[in-house]
Structure formats: C-alpha cells, structure tokens
Amino acid sequence: MEISQQFIEAIEAGDLQSVQSLIETLQLSSEPDAQYEIANMLVQAGYLKEGEQVLEHLQFLFPEEAQIKIDRAQVLMEIDEEDEALLLLTSIEEHEEEYPQALLSLADYYQMQGFYESAEQKINQALSILPGEPLLIFAKAELLLETGKYLEAARLYENLKNETDEIAGIRLSERLAEVYSAGAAYEDAIPFYEESLIDHVTPDLLFGYAYAAFQAGQYDLSVRKLNEVKTLDPDYFSAHLLLSQAYSMLEDHEQAYQAILEGLSRDEYDKELYLFAGKMALKLGKVREAEQHLRQAIALDPEYMEATLTLVSYLHNEERDQDVIELIEIISQNQDDWSALYPFAAEAYAKEENFERAYDFYSLAYTDHKEDPLFMEKYVYFLLEEGKREEALEIGKQLVLLQPHEERWQDLIESLS
C-alpha cells in the first residue's frame, strides 16, 4: 500500500499515533515531492502540527526554498507561532519570485491582528509588483470590506467579476450582494442576490435577499423570499421576526401576528419575538395577549428597556397607575437609571396622590426631558398645584423658549412674577 493511502486511512480513523509513525517513515524514505504532498494533506485535514513537522523537515532539506517557508509560515500562524512565522516570511527577499506571495501572507497576518493599515500597505506593495494579479486584488477587496470601505471594495469586486465569476472559492455575485448590503446600498445588492440564487439556493442567501428587499422598501418581495427561507429551513429563527415586520409594513397586522406566533412556537426564549408579538397584539386590540407577551419579554431580560417602556406606556394609557408604579419601583430597586420611565412614574404617583414621590420623579425626569414641551407642561402644572411657585416660574420661562407662540406661558410668568 502506498504511504499516501496509509496516511488517508490513519487520518480517517483519527489514529494520531499511526500518523506520527508514518511521518517518521515518510521523512526517511520518501521523495521531497511526496513529503510536500503529504504535508498539505495533513494541514487540510486539520493535523496542523503534524503538517508543520513535515514542512520543517523539508525546509531543513531545502533551506532557501521560498515556497516551503511561506507554507510553513501560514501553518505556524494557525498554531499561534507567529514570531517564527514572521521570521520566515521576512527572510524572503524582493528578487525572489515568491516575494509577492510572502507579502500577501504578511498582510493576512496583520489583518488577523487588526493592523489594517499595515495589511493594506503589504497588499499595495505586492500589487506594485503584480498590478493585475486577481488574487491580490481580491485580497485588497476583502480587506476593504472588513474595514467598512464598502464602495472601494465593491469597485474592486466588480472589476474582478468582469473577468471571472469566482475566485478563491468565492462567488463574486455573493460578495457584491454582501458588500452592497453592508454599505446600505440595498437596491444595488438585490440584482446580485438574484444572480447568486441562480447558481445555488441556501437559507442564508435567501435571508440576505429578503433583508435587502425589506430595507429597500420592497416588502412584498421580502415576504416571498422569507417564506422560501421557512420552506428550506423552518428553524431559521431570524426569518420569523423579519417576516412579521414585513407584513406589518404592508399593514397586514393579522398576518404579522401569526408569523411572530409561529416564530415563538419554535423559539420560546427570544425576547425580541415577544416584544414584537406584544406590539402586533396591541395593534390588533388583543390587549390581554399583548401584556402577556411584553411581560414574557421582560421576564427573559429584566433590563430589556424597549419592552419595559412599551408595557409601561400601555399601562399608562389604560390608566393603570398602580401597575405602572409597581413596574418602576422594581426597576428603581435594581438601581437602573431609566430616565425614559420617569415621566410615567411621576404622573402615576401624582394620580395616586403620592405627591412627594411624584415630585421626586418629576425632578429626576427633568434632566433628560427639559426639551420636551409636553413633559414640561405637565411638570409646571404639577408644581403649581403643589404650591412650588418659584420652581414653576423657572419651568414657565423655559416653556416660553420652547413654545414662544404660546401666550399662556408668558401670562403664567407674569402672574407668578
């Protein structure tokens, strides 16, 4: 049996001891080309340290071979031996044919470390040597995508797509769909999603298409694609929320509610689903269900501000002041500084004739709501009822600035003065 077949069987069996024994045999008896082939096989199978061991032996045999240095350096980076990898890459000189490849490997290293400027510098240096090399252009586009330079990345991807449909195993139509979506150019992304789906259909691609369509305001198209996602993968949880949101934008609130309930039947621990279910139930007048959904969202995450604010707002509109107070007191006990809730608390306490506590919450709310005329109006009347004329005067002066055409505030200031 050939040694390569023996390696394949040992790898498939996960027999590390046999792999190690075969490496020793390989290094003693096999030709360098066979050793190089086995090294690549080991690396691709995830036996990185064993592959590096073979490459290290080959480097000992051929110390000046640049390609072996590059291959070994890439494996060393994978096993967190960056210092040795950098020494190998920087030992490759400019006159060598593999120098641009070494620069690209250095760029990959810097990119992984978050040193994006250094990475781009190395890629540009390689491009100055091989200006039309597609792999280098692709590497630069990938770097620009990662760093949020979407328009520049899209230009490079489109230039590449004019020459080929695929590079480095990546469909360029998919990359262009991704980069345009990432850059919020959703209408530009849609044709590339359509092209990508001609070649193969996956739930991720369909969802990306649906999301782009939703953001572009094409809600009917988004609904169709999301239903296709559900057909392919009923447990693609993100699809249920977006589908409900798309139906809501089409003002089909009943369908939106049913879509979110279906999502909850598959994932009962998603607080965002409960929140949106609560909102849809409120729109449909299903107030009991709405309150239940919102309370479930808060039970999953007591610090879920949006759900708490939605529930408090509903309770406030229903004049359930005791329930408002109960919720806000729980939050206050946890020392959560949620100023958006303070106006509700102030009004609830005032209605319950707990004026001292109402005053506390009006004072707390003032800092973040002093530019809100509606809040300031309620605040000034509360102060007047409590006989706090000097404070009411100061609030009245601010109301004049907020609503200069309202004569009542000027009259109030004059009467208080």
Side-chain angles (χ1 to χ4, degrees):
M1 183 186 299
E2 290 186 3
I3 193 166
S4 61
Q5 184 60 37
Q6 292 177 329
F7 268 104
I8 291 171
E9 292 180 1
I11 289 170
E12 289 178 348
D15 188 347
L16 185 58
Q17 186 174 354
S18 294
V19 168
Q20 193 63 51
S21 177
L22 286 167
I23 287 174
E24 293 173 6
T25 303
L26 178 76
Q27 293 173 339
L28 289 172
S29 60
S30 297
E31 293 295 321
D33 286 349
Q35 293 185 38
Y36 187 71
E37 180 182 338
I38 295 297
N40 287 328
M41 180 194 300
L42 288 166
V43 170
Q44 290 173 9
Y47 287 77
L48 300 179
K49 290 185 178 179
E50 291 72 24
E52 196 277 326
Q53 183 181 342
V54 178
L55 289 170
E56 183 181 19
H57 178 70
L58 284 169
Q59 190 188 348
F60 172 76
L61 296 176
F62 304 99
E64 302 303 320
E65 181 59 49
Q67 188 61 56
I68 294 175
K69 291 180 182 178
I70 292 170
D71 292 341
R72 187 174 170 223
Q74 290 173 340
V75 178
L76 285 167
M77 287 181 190
E78 292 289 329
I79 59 176
D80 298 325
E81 297 287 345
E82 290 93 347
D83 290 344
E84 191 172 354
L86 291 174
L87 285 174
L88 287 171
L89 292 173
T90 54
S91 71
I92 299 170
E93 299 181 1
E94 293 187 30
H95 64 82
E96 296 183 76
E97 183 180 349
E98 292 83 1
Y99 184 63
Q101 191 180 347
L103 290 170
L104 184 57
S105 294
L106 283 168
D108 287 341
Y109 167 75
Y110 289 130
Q111 186 170 345
M112 286 189 296
Q113 298 299 315
F115 303 138
Y116 298 115
E117 290 185 8
S118 298
E120 188 170 359
Q121 183 182 22
K122 293 300 179 185
I123 295 174
N124 288 337
Q125 191 177 349
L127 280 167
S128 68
I129 301 169
L130 298 173
E133 173 55 46
L135 281 173
L136 293 175
I137 297 171
F138 180 74
K140 183 169 183 178
E142 293 283 279
L143 176 62
L144 292 170
L145 171 59
E146 185 173 337
T147 54
K149 298 177 181 178
Y150 303 119
L151 290 178
E152 296 176 59
R155 177 178 58 81
L156 294 179
Y157 286 126
E158 293 224 34
N159 289 340
L160 286 169
K161 193 174 182 303
N162 290 333
E163 304 297 328
T164 182
D165 292 328
E166 184 175 315
I167 188 166
I170 303 295
R171 298 288 301 177
L172 290 171
S173 56
E174 288 186 38
R175 268 297 187 269
L176 280 161
E178 179 185 350
V179 73
Y180 278 125
S181 287
Y186 298 108
E187 291 187 2
D188 293 327
I190 287 174
F192 291 108
Y193 277 117
E194 291 175 349
E195 182 179 340
S196 299
L197 288 165
I198 293 172
D199 297 314
H200 68 288
V201 177
T202 68
D204 286 342
L205 262 179
L206 281 169
F207 182 79
Y209 188 0
Y211 182 80
F214 180 90
Q215 294 295 337
Q218 300 183 34
Y219 305 116
D220 285 316
L221 176 59
S222 183
V223 165
R224 290 200 302 274
K225 295 304 167 186
L226 288 165
N227 280 316
E228 289 179 34
V229 174
K230 287 169 51 188
T231 301
L232 277 181
D233 183 0
D235 289 324
Y236 200 100
F237 298 132
S238 300
H240 296 284
L241 177 57
L242 188 61
L243 178 60
S244 182
Q245 291 169 332
Y247 277 128
S248 177
M249 295 303 294
L250 291 168
E251 298 188 2
D252 190 342
H253 301 308
E254 184 60 48
Q255 281 277 34
Y257 187 52
Q258 293 306 315
I260 210 72
L261 290 181
E262 182 183 349
L264 283 169
S265 71
R266 295 186 173 277
D267 183 5
E268 59 183 10
Y269 297 106
D270 188 331
K271 63 181 184 180
E272 292 187 9
L273 294 180
Y274 282 113
L275 170 61
F276 204 72
K279 290 181 177 180
M280 288 301 98
L282 284 174
K283 284 183 179 292
L284 293 168
K286 301 176 184 287
V287 293
R288 183 181 302 174
E289 293 90 337
E291 183 174 346
Q292 182 181 4
H293 295 317
L294 293 170
R295 289 190 182 276
Q296 285 173 311
I298 296 166
L300 286 170
D301 181 3
E303 297 184 357
Y304 195 11
M305 177 61 182
E306 188 176 356
T308 302
L309 185 57
T310 303
L311 179 56
V312 168
S313 180
Y314 159 70
L315 295 173
H316 170 76
N317 290 335
E318 294 293 304
E319 298 185 353
R320 290 168 56 181
D321 301 311
Q322 283 289 349
D323 290 328
V324 171
I325 289 169
E326 180 184 344
L327 261 178
I328 292 174
E329 284 297 343
I330 292 172
I331 293 167
S332 298
Q333 289 170 10
N334 293 331
Q335 298 181 342
D336 290 316
D337 183 17
W338 288 359
S339 63
L341 300 177
Y342 295 159
F344 295 108
E347 285 192 56
Y349 275 115
K351 289 179 182 177
E352 291 295 308
E353 298 186 357
N354 188 339
F355 301 116
E356 182 178 351
R357 199 75 174 121
Y359 178 65
D360 290 339
F361 275 103
Y362 268 121
S363 300
L364 287 170
Y366 171 75
T367 301
D368 288 337
H369 297 272
K370 59 187 176 184
E371 302 297 326
D372 178 359
L374 182 60
F375 166 77
M376 295 289 278
E377 179 178 342
K378 292 176 181 177
Y379 190 14
V380 76
Y381 286 130
F382 171 80
L383 291 171
L384 288 170
E385 290 175 8
E386 289 301 294
K388 299 180 184 293
R389 295 173 60 84
E390 290 185 7
E391 292 180 54
L393 176 60
E394 293 305 314
I395 301 300
K397 290 177 180 178
Q398 293 181 55
L399 278 165
V400 169
L401 297 175
L402 289 172
Q403 297 179 322
H405 300 298
E406 284 280 352
E407 294 183 4
R408 55 181 168 150
W409 304 133
Q410 189 62 52
D411 294 340
L412 176 67
I413 289 173
E414 291 175 3
S415 67
L416 290 173
S417 300

